[in-house]
C-alpha cells in the first residue's frame, strides 16, 4: 500500500517529552457531553455535580442550551452532603422524574464530576440500581467526566469505554470505527471503505442504542480520534484487534489511515488507488490553497484535546509549517506512535502543563500562530500573537479528504485576517 | 439535588473572580480542581478582556487527593505572589476544594508574604455568584479600608461595579459625569478599576454611591458603620430615578442639584405622537432584582406600559421585590428555575418581555418581543459603543432598547390598514426581500366541517374563525386566547362572531 516517507532525521517517537506540573488551563471531561449528546440521539447525560458543573456546561454549550438539549446537571445541595444514603434517594427521584418527562430516552449516562468523586458517591452502584428499576426500556450507564480525572476530550473516551463492556458479543469479522465524528465525515469514511470492499462497518458510538455494534475476538477496530486510550484498552480486553495508523487529518493522514485498514482487509493495490486517487487529488489541491498562507510559518500548540500531535504532523508535512512546541494534555505512545514517526524532530514535545511557564516559552518563541483555549486566545492576541482557538477543531468537521482544505483554512484564516486588517491612519 | 439545565447565576467563586478581575494589583489564588479554569473564558470572551483574569488555580487532580493538595496550594500561592507581585491577595476554594477542607485562607495567612492576605468563605452549596461578588468585595474593603480625614471638597466613592456586570463600564462613566456636573469628585470607584491601595483610601470620601446592591451592599453598609459614610439608596435607572438620585447625592454632598438636561431625550420621545401606541402595552419583567425594580418604574411611568408581571432570580432581594410588585398590582415571581419563568410568561401573555438572555430565548419561542435588561447576558450585550442604562444617556438608551423590538405606531397602523392588501397579507415575505413575496393564498372554500375545537372543548364556529383571521397576525394569538378564556368564564360551548367581539370589549382598555 502507500508507504509514507518518514522525515529525514527519523520521527519523534523516542524523543524525550517535557513534563511540567502546575496550573493547567484546560476543560474537564464534562465538556465532551456537548458533542456526544448530538451524536447519540436517544441518550441523556445527567451530570451529578455542583452549580459549577452546570455553569461550565452552560458556558461551553453556548446557545445550544436553549434547544431542549439532552443533558442536565443534578446539582448537589447542602443536604446531599450531610448524609450519603439521602443522596442516593434524591438521585433516584430525580432520575424517575427525568425519565417520566422524556420517554424517548433509551440510554441514561450518570456522569461523575469532581464533587461527586470527592464525596465518593457510588454512581456505578446507582447506575446498576437504576438500570434494574427502569429495565428494559432504559439502560443506565456511568462514567466520570470530572476534572480531577479527565481532560476535555477524555470525557468522550470515558463515556465510550463505559459502553464497551455492555456491547453485545459477536464472532463476526467486522470493522469497528471508534470515535464520534460529524455525520458528514462518518458517511464519507464509510463510503470510501465500502468502495474498497471493506465491511461490514460499524461505528462506536452508534446513533441509537438499538444499533450498538457487537464486539468479539474477530472484531478489528480503528480509532478515528487520538484521545481514546481507555476505549482502546476496553476493546482489546474484549478480544478485538486494533489497526495502528496515523490519524486521518489531511491527504497524507487520511491515505495512511485508509491504507492501514485496507491492508488488514486485503484490499488489492489497484482497487485502493482507484478509490482514493480522485479524492486525494482534490484534497491536495484544497490544502495547497491554504498552504500558501501557512508555508514557512511557525506554530505553537498549547495542550487541549490530544489532537495536537496529528495536527502538527499535518501542518508541518502538508502545509510547510514549523512546529515550535507541541503540547498535549496526555500522550499515549502506542496510539499516537504512527503520527510521532512522521513528525520531524525539532519541536519541543510537552505533556501536561504549567501554564505560566508555557506562556513564557510562547512569548520567547514568538510563533506566527498559537493554538490555544479561549481563556488564552484574546490575551495572547493583545500581546501581538496570532491565535487559533482550539475548541473549534473538535466541533468542526476536519477529518478525511473532503475536509482537508477546510482544516488547513482554519489555521490560515487568523493569519489572513491579521494581514487584512489595517486599522491605523492612512497618513 | 436539583435538576438544572440553565442557571441564572454561577457558583460563588465566579463572583469572587468578578471582583478580582475588576481590580488592579490584586491576585486571587483559587483552590480548585483541573477544569475550573473554564470561568476564564467568561472574561476573555464574553467581556472581551485583553488579559487573563488575575486568578491562579491550584488545579489538583485525582492523584493529588490526600495531603498533597495542601502542598499544591502552598506552591501555587508562592509562585503567584512571586510572579505577579500583587499589592494584596485573596484566597478561596471552589466547590470541590470546599469538600476536601484544606483551609486555604489559614494556610496563606501563615506563609509570611508581607502583603495583605484576604481569606474568603464561599459556601458553594448554599449561595451563588452575586453573593460571592458581594462577600469578596466586602472582605477586601473590611481588610484594607481605614477611617481617615475627608477630602476638602465634596467627594464620594462609587461602589459595586464589577467585571462581567451588565453595562457596568458605561454606567460608571455616566454616573461619574452626573456627579462631576454637580461638583462632586469621585474619590474611588471600586471594585472596577481600583487597586488595593485605592481601597485603603475609601475613607477619604464624604459618602458612597451604591450602584449595584447585588455586588456592593455589604461593603456599603460596612463603610456606613465603620467609616461613617452614608450611601445612596436610589439606583439611577430611568429619568425619575436619576432625578431622585441627583437630589439624594446633592443632599449628601451639601451641594445644589444640577444636571445638564439638554442631552435627555426620553421624555420628549415618549410624549411624541408616534409613541401613543405604546400606551398600555403589557410587559413582563425578569432579571436581577435591582434592574427589575428600576425598570418597572421606567416601563410604567416613563414609557406608559402596563406591568403584567415581574420577578427576580436572586432570592436575597425577594422581600423588596415582593413589596414593589404589590404596588404594581402583580404578584412577584422569585425563582431561579427558567421553566417557572416560562410558565409565568405564558400565563401573563405579555406583549413585551424585559429580561435576561434566557427570557430572550423564551420570547423567541413564544413569539413575544424581548429586550435584555439584566445579567446574565451574552457577548452582544457587552457592546463596543457607549451604552449605559443609568443616568440621562442611559434613559435615552433604554427608550431605544425598549421600543425597537415592538412594532412602532405608524408601522402597526399601516399593517392593520392594509392587512388584506395583496402585498401585506400574512404569507408575504418582508418587502425588502423583493423576490420572496408570494401571492396571497386563494380564498379558502368554506370548510365542510364548519367549526374547530378550541381548548377546554369550546367550539369555534366557522364565521368566528374567519373573523379571527382578519385580526393582524401579531395579536391574533392573544385574541384567540382571550376569546377562549372569555368563553370558558361565561360557560359558553361555542364561539360566534359576537363572542369574539364581546371578549374584545371585555378585555378592552
Amino acid at each position: 500500500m502507500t508507504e509514507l516517507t518518514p522525515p529525514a532525521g527519523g520521527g519523534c517517537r523516542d524523543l524525550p517529552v517535557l513534563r511540567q506540573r502546575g496550573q493547567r488551563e484546560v476543560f474537564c471531561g464534562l465538556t465532551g457531553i456537548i458533542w456526544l449528546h448530538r451524536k447519540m440521539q436517544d441518550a441523556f447525560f445527567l451530570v451529578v455535580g455542583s452549580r459549577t458543573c452546570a455553569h461550565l456546561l452552560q458556558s461551553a454549550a453556548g446557545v445550544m442550551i436553549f434547544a431542549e438539549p439532552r443533558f442536565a446537571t443534578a446539582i448537589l445541595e447542602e443536604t446531599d452532603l450531610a448524609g450519603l444514603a439521602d443522596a442516593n434517594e434524591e438521585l433516584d427521584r430525580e432520575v424517575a422524574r427525568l425519565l417520566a418527562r422524556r420517554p424517548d430516552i433509551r440510554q441514561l449516562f450518570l456522569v461523575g464530576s469532581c464533587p461527586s468523586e470527592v464525596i465518593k458517591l457510588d454512581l456505578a452502584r446507582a447506575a446498576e440500581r437504576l438500570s434494574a428499576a427502569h429495565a428494559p426500556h432504559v439502560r443506565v450507564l456511568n462514567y466520570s467526566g470530572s476534572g480531577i480525572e479527565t481532560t476535555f476530550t477524555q470525557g468522550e473516551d470515558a463515556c465510550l469505554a463505559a459502553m464497551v463492556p455492555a456491547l453485545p458479543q459477536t464472532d463476526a469479522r467486522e470493522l469497528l470505527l471508534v470515535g464520534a465524528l460529524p455525520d458528514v465525515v462518518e458517511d464519507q469514511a464509510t463510503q470510501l471503505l465500502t468502495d474498497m470492499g471493506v465491511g461490514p462497518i460499524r461505528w462506536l458510538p452508534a446513533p441509537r442504542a438499538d444499533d450498538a455494534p457487537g464486539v468479539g475476538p474477530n472484531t478489528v477496530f480503528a480509532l478515528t480520534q487520538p484521545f481514546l486510550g481507555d476505549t482502546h484498552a476496553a476493546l482489546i480486553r474484549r478480544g478485538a484487534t486494533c489497526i495502528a495508523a496515523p490519524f486521518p487529518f489531511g491527504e497524507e493522514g487520511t491515505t495512511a489511515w485508509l491504507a492501514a485498514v485496507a491492508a488488514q482487509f486485503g484490499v488489492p493495490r489497484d482497487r485502493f488507488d482507484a478509490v482514493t486517487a480522485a479524492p486525494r487529488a482534490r484534497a491536495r489541491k484544497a490544502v495547497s490553497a491554504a498552504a500558501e498562507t501557512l508555508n514557512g510559518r511557525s506554530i505553537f500548540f498549547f495542550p487541549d484535546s490530544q489532537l495536537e500531535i496529528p495536527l502538527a504532523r499535518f501542518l508541518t508535512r502538508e502545509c510547510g509549517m514549523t512546529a515550535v512546541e507541541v503540547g498535549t494534555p496526555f500522550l499515549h505512545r502506542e496510539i499516537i506512535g504512527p503520527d510521532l514517526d512522521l513528525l520531524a524532530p525539532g519541536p519541543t514535545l510537552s505533556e501536561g502543563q504549567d501554564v505560566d511557564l508555557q506562556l513564557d516559552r510562547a512569548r520567547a518563541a514568538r510563533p506566527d500562530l498559537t493554538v490555544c483555549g479561549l481563556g488564552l486566545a484574546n490575551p495572547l492576541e493583545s500581546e501581538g500573537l496570532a491565535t487559533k482557538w482550539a475548541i473549534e477543531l473538535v466541533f468542526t468537521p476536519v477529518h478525511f479528504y473532503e475536509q482537508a482544505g477546510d482544516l488547513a483554512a482554519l489555521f490560515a484564516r487568523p493569519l489572513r485576517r491579521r494581514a487584512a486588517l489595517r486599522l491605523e491612519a492612512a497618513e | 439535588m436539583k435538576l438544572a439545565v440553565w442557571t441564572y447565576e454561577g457558583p460563588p467563586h465566579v463572583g469572587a473572580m468578578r471582583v478580582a478581575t475588576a481590580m488592579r494589583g490584586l491576585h486571587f489564588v483559587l483552590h480548585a480542581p483541573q477544569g475550573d479554569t473554564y470561568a476564564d473564558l467568561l472574561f476573555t470572551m464574553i467581556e472581551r478582556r485583553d488579559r487573563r483574569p488575575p486568578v491562579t488555580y491550584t488545579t489538583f487532580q485525582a492523584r493529588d487527593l490526600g495531603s498533597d493538595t495542601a502542598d499544591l496550594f502552598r506552591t501555587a500561592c508562592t509562585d503567584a505572589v512571586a510572579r505577579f507581585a500583587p499589592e494584596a491577595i485573596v484566597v478561596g476554594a471552589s466547590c470541590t476544594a470546599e469538600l476536601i477542607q484544606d483551609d486555604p485562607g489559614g494556610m496563606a495567612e501563615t506563609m509570611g508574604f508581607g502583603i495583605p492576605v484576604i481569606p474568603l468563605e464561599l459556601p458553594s452549596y448554599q449561595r451563588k455568584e452575586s453573593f460571592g461578588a458581594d462577600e469578596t468585595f466586602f472582605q477586601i474593603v473590611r481588610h484594607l479600608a481605614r477611617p481617615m480625614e475627608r477630602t476638602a471638597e465634596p467627594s464620594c466613592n462609587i461602589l459595586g461595579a464589577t467585571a462581567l456586570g451588565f453595562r457596568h463600564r458605561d454606567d460608571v462613566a455616566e454616573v461619574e459625569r452626573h456627579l462631576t456636573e454637580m461638583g462632586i469628585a469621585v474619590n474611588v470607584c471600586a471594585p472596577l478599576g481600583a487597586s488595593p491601595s485605592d481601597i485603603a483610601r475609601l475613607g477619604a470620601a464624604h459618602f458612597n454611591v451604591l450602584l449595584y446592591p447585588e455586588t456592593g451592599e455589604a461593603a456599603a453598609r460596612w463603610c456606613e458603620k465603620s467609616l461613617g459614610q452614608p450611601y445612596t439608596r436610589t439606583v439611577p435607572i430611568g429619568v425619575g430615578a436619576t432625578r431622585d438620585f441627583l437630589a439624594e447625592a446633592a443632599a449628601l454632598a451639601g451641594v445644589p442639584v444640577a444636571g445638564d438636561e439638554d442631552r435627555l431625550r426620553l421624555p420628549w420621545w415618549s410624549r411624541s405622537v408616534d409613541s401613543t401606541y405604546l400606551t398600555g402595552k403589557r410587559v413582563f419583567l425578569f432579571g436581577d432584582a435591582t434592574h427589575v425594580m428600576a425598570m418597572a418604574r421606567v416601563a410604567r411611568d416613563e414609557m406608559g406600559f402596563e406591568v403584567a408581571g415581574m420577578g427576580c432570580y436572586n432570592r436575597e432581594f425577594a422581600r423588596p421585590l415582593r413589596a414593589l410588585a404589590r404596588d404594581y398590582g402583580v404578584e412577584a415571581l422569585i425563582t431561579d428555575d427558567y421553566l417557572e419563568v416560562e410558565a409565568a410568561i405564558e400565563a401573563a401573555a405579555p406583549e413585551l418581555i424585559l429580561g435576561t438572555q434566557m427570557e430572550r430565548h423564551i420570547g423567541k419561542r413564544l413569539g413575544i418581543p424581548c429586550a435584555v435588561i439584566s445579567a446574565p447576558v451574552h457577548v452582544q450585550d457587552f457592546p463596543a459603543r457607549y451604552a449605559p442604562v443609568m443616568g440621562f444617556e442611559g434613559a435615552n438608551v433604554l427608550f431605544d432598547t425598549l421600543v425597537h423590538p415592538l412594532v412602532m405606531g405608524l408601522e402597526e397602523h399601516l399593517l392593520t390598514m392594509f392587512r388584506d392588501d395583496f402585498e401585506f397579507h400574512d404569507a408575504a415575505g418582508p418587502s425588502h426581500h423583493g423576490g420572496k413575496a408570494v401571492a396571497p393564498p386563494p380564498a379558502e372554500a368554506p370548510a365542510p366541517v364548519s367549526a374547530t375545537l378550541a381548548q377546554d372543548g369550546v367550539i369555534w364556529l366557522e364565521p368566528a374563525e374567519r373573523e379571527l383571521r382578519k385580526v393582524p397576525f401579531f395579536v391574533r394569538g392573544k385574541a384567540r386566547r382571550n376569546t377562549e378564556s372569555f368563553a370558558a368564564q361565561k360557560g359558553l360551548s361555542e364561539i360566534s362572531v359576537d363572542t369574539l367581539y364581546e371578549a374584545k370589549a371585555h378585555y378592552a382598555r
Side-chain angles (χ1 to χ4, degrees):
Chain A
M1 221 55 60
T2 322
E3 284 302 321
L4 286 182
T5 342
C12 279
R13 196 192 279 248
D14 300 317
L15 293 185
V17 171
L18 176 67
R19 283 193 185 80
Q20 281 175 335
R21 180 173 169 175
Q23 177 176 326
R24 299 178 67 148
E25 185 88 14
V26 288
F27 280 126
C28 66
L30 294 182
T31 337
I33 292 171
I34 310 291
W35 65 87
L36 277 174
H37 90 283
R38 304 303 312 159
K39 200 67 208 170
M40 293 188 245
Q41 295 163 16
D42 54 4
F44 194 101
F45 293 80
L46 180 63
V47 177
V48 182
S50 63
R51 176 168 300 279
T52 310
C53 307
H55 196 236
L56 158 87
L57 283 177
Q58 175 172 321
S59 309
V63 293
M64 208 191 273
I65 205 96
F66 306 106
E68 284 279 346
R70 279 172 286 102
F71 61 82
T73 310
I75 297 183
L76 294 165
E77 292 173 318
E78 196 158 52
T79 47
D80 300 306
L81 304 176
L84 284 181
D86 190 35
N88 284 317
E89 277 171 35
E90 294 262 311
L91 183 61
D92 291 2
R93 191 196 63 220
E94 288 302 331
V95 166
R97 270 176 49 187
L98 172 71
L99 292 176
R101 213 170 64 194
R102 299 295 301 263
D104 51 322
I105 298 307
R106 302 287 314 280
Q107 311 178 70
L108 176 70
F109 289 94
L110 299 179
V111 188
S113 66
C114 300
S116 75
E117 297 292 328
V118 166
I119 64 169
K120 305 218 182 310
L121 189 57
D122 194 343
L123 291 181
R125 285 265 297 279
E128 275 175 35
R129 186 177 69 238
L130 287 163
S131 259
H134 297 280
H137 186 68
V138 184
R139 178 154 62 193
V140 185
L141 294 168
N142 145 259
Y143 73 90
S144 172
S146 72
I148 57 177
E149 291 155 304
T150 57
T151 305
F152 194 31
T153 49
Q154 277 182 305
E156 174 173 336
D157 187 29
C159 173
L160 300 189
M163 295 171 78
V164 171
L167 294 176
Q169 180 73 23
T170 177
D171 286 326
R173 179 170 162 80
E174 290 179 335
L175 174 63
L176 181 62
L177 298 181
V178 189
L181 292 183
D183 291 347
V184 54
V185 178
E186 213 178 277
D187 293 346
Q188 288 168 15
T190 307
Q191 192 61 49
L192 285 165
L193 290 168
T194 309
D195 290 349
M196 288 178 207
V198 175
I201 300 167
R202 311 296 301 273
W203 285 88
L204 182 70
R208 313 196 74 86
D210 293 339
D211 308 328
V215 191
N218 293 319
T219 306
V220 284
F221 70 94
L223 302 181
T224 62
Q225 300 277 27
F227 44 73
L228 298 171
D230 287 353
T231 311
H232 175 265
L235 285 166
I236 287 173
R237 272 199 297 278
R238 294 275 314 254
T241 313
C242 180
I243 304 171
F247 287 90
F249 297 110
E251 183 268 317
E252 269 192 3
T254 306
T255 305
W257 186 89
L258 287 170
V261 176
Q264 182 70 225
F265 280 81
V267 176
R269 173 73 190 239
D270 54 345
R271 180 96 183 255
F272 181 85
D273 288 343
V275 171
T276 56
R280 284 181 73 174
R282 275 202 300 276
R284 266 197 300 268
K285 183 158 177 274
V287 169
S288 69
E292 279 173 28
T293 313
L294 297 174
N295 195 23
R297 305 295 194 101
S298 59
I299 188 161
F300 192 110
F301 283 91
F302 278 78
D304 196 54
S305 61
Q306 300 185 47
L307 298 175
E308 296 84 3
I309 289 171
L311 289 176
R313 184 259 299 153
F314 164 68
L315 291 166
T316 53
R317 290 178 63 104
E318 297 185 47
C319 303
M321 296 190 89
T322 316
V324 179
E325 173 164 341
V326 186
T328 176
F330 183 70
L331 195 148
H332 193 300
R333 285 198 176 269
E334 192 185 337
I335 291 176
I336 211 73
D339 279 290
L340 286 172
D341 288 339
L342 294 172
L343 185 65
T348 306
L349 293 183
S350 64
E351 183 184 11
Q353 187 178 35
D354 182 322
V355 75
D356 286 313
L357 298 181
Q358 197 168 27
L359 281 165
D360 288 345
R361 294 199 297 277
R363 287 176 185 125
R366 295 213 59 88
D368 294 314
L369 189 63
T370 304
V371 183
C372 60
L374 291 173
L376 300 177
N378 270 337
L380 285 176
E381 288 280 352
S382 83
E383 291 181 28
L385 295 177
T387 62
K388 165 76 218 112
W389 42 287
I391 190 169
E392 198 178 4
L393 299 161
V394 177
F395 289 106
T396 313
V398 291
H399 295 67
F400 292 96
Y401 290 129
E402 311 306 341
Q403 285 67 239
D406 303 342
L407 176 60
L410 283 180
F411 293 92
R413 193 170 303 127
L415 296 174
R416 284 178 30 227
R417 178 165 184 79
R418 194 155 251 264
L421 290 183
R422 297 178 199 285
L423 296 166
E424 52 293 318
E427 285 175 54
Chain B
M1 263 175 222
K2 192 173 183 314
L3 206 61
V5 178
W6 166 270
T7 60
Y8 283 98
E9 290 186 80
H13 72 259
V14 169
M17 285 179 71
R18 287 177 53 186
V19 171
T21 307
M23 291 180 64
R24 297 174 292 116
L26 181 83
H27 203 83
F28 182 19
V29 182
L30 180 63
H31 203 19
Q34 163 173 289
D36 279 3
T37 51
Y38 82 87
D40 282 0
L41 67 90
L42 304 172
F43 300 93
T44 60
M45 298 305 291
I46 294 180
E47 206 178 3
R48 247 185 271 250
R49 284 191 173 253
D50 64 357
R51 65 198 68 185
R52 299 172 64 213
V55 183
T56 293
Y57 303 79
T58 55
T59 44
F60 55 84
Q61 292 174 272
R63 61 168 184 264
D64 306 318
L65 290 177
S67 64
D68 212 0
T69 52
D71 285 338
L72 267 182
F73 175 80
R74 284 192 204 94
T75 314
C77 221
T78 311
D79 289 353
V81 172
R83 173 174 286 267
F84 300 103
E87 291 176 29
I89 56 170
V90 284
V91 293
S94 81
C95 51
T96 306
E98 192 184 337
L99 298 170
I100 59 178
Q101 299 177 336
D102 275 337
D103 184 23
M107 277 192 280
E109 276 174 322
T110 60
M111 288 172 72
F113 291 126
I115 51 170
V117 173
I118 302 163
L120 300 176
E121 287 294 335
L122 303 169
S124 310
Y125 298 89
Q126 295 158 284
R127 310 304 293 267
K128 295 179 229 164
E129 182 177 329
S130 295
F131 168 84
D134 192 52
E135 171 70 12
T136 303
F137 183 45
F138 162 61
Q139 291 298 345
I140 291 170
V141 169
R142 192 174 73 92
H143 274 80
L144 302 178
R146 291 290 167 267
M148 59 175 62
E149 200 181 323
R150 301 278 196 252
T151 55
E153 299 303 311
S155 66
C156 68
N157 302 311
I158 297 180
L159 302 184
T162 66
L164 266 189
F166 175 66
R167 306 293 168 88
H168 286 196
R169 178 196 69 195
D170 298 340
D171 283 350
V172 165
E174 185 64 17
V175 168
E176 200 164 341
R177 175 173 175 178
H178 275 293
L179 293 165
T180 313
E181 281 173 0
M182 295 198 293
I184 303 169
V186 174
N187 179 52
V188 173
C189 170
L192 192 62
S195 63
S197 46
D198 292 331
I199 302 287
R201 51 186 192 82
L202 278 182
H206 295 237
F207 69 101
N208 286 321
V209 166
L210 175 59
L211 283 196
Y212 307 99
E214 270 85 356
T215 48
E217 190 161 6
R221 283 189 188 180
W222 183 87
C223 290
E224 184 172 54
K225 205 174 97 208
S226 307
L227 307 178
Q229 293 168 325
Y231 65 92
T232 56
R233 301 307 208 264
T234 314
V235 177
I237 296 178
V239 178
T242 299
R243 288 186 176 136
D244 291 350
F245 168 82
L246 294 180
E248 197 182 357
L252 289 175
V255 299
V257 183
D260 169 18
E261 296 220 354
D262 284 354
R263 63 199 173 97
L264 177 60
R265 284 179 287 273
L266 180 143
W268 166 242
W269 251 244
S270 204
R271 280 205 313 272
S272 73
V273 291
D274 199 48
S275 299
T276 313
Y277 290 80
L278 301 174
T279 315
K281 288 259 186 217
R282 294 160 46 79
V283 295
F284 190 98
L285 299 116
F286 197 84
D288 69 59
T290 297
H291 282 91
V292 165
M293 293 196 288
M295 287 303 295
R297 179 172 175 187
V298 175
R300 186 184 65 183
D301 300 344
E302 299 172 16
M303 304 296 288
F305 296 150
E306 180 193 331
V307 173
M310 66 167 88
C312 71
Y313 55 76
N314 44 348
R315 207 160 280 283
E316 290 89 341
F317 291 79
R319 192 176 298 185
L321 188 90
R322 282 210 179 90
L324 187 81
R326 271 194 295 278
D327 292 347
Y328 280 75
V330 293
E331 187 154 351
L333 174 70
I334 315 292
T335 181
D336 60 357
D337 183 344
Y338 76 96
L339 292 172
E340 282 184 41
V341 179
E342 188 172 68
I345 290 176
E346 220 168 347
E351 290 155 276
L352 176 68
I353 305 168
L354 304 180
T356 73
Q357 195 58 219
M358 191 61 213
E359 282 67 47
R360 199 168 68 81
H361 285 266
I362 291 173
K364 220 187 257 176
R365 208 147 105 171
L366 300 175
I368 303 171
C370 179
V372 172
I373 58 153
S374 156
V377 290
H378 215 341
V379 62
Q380 69 267 34
D381 273 300
F382 285 92
R385 68 175 188 282
Y386 186 55
V389 295
M390 290 186 176
F392 288 162
E393 186 55 29
N396 298 337
V397 167
L398 284 177
F399 182 87
D400 290 345
T401 309
L402 267 51
V403 157
H404 283 176
L406 294 169
V407 179
M408 275 304 283
L410 188 59
E411 201 177 331
E412 181 169 329
H413 179 67
L414 289 174
L415 277 171
T416 315
M417 208 158 99
F418 297 125
R419 67 189 168 209
D420 291 325
D421 186 282
F422 75 102
E423 275 179 336
F424 285 96
H425 61 90
D426 301 352
S431 54
H432 56 278
H433 290 170
K436 291 285 196 310
V438 293
E444 291 162 51
V449 181
S450 64
T452 44
L453 196 64
Q455 289 170 344
D456 310 323
V458 186
I459 304 274
W460 278 86
L461 295 176
E462 200 273 332
E465 185 81 45
R466 229 180 315 126
E467 196 69 15
L468 181 69
R469 245 173 268 140
K470 296 182 190 164
V471 175
F473 65 92
F474 45 86
V475 286
R476 195 179 303 149
K478 198 174 123 217
R480 180 183 286 277
R481 272 198 303 278
N482 282 354
T483 311
E484 286 170 9
S485 53
F486 176 78
Q489 268 174 41
K490 297 277 165 197
L492 300 174
S493 59
E494 292 178 346
I495 295 172
S496 66
V497 176
D498 281 344
T499 325
L500 183 68
Y501 284 114
E502 272 162 32
K504 184 169 190 282
H506 177 78
Y507 289 105
R509 42 163 200 261

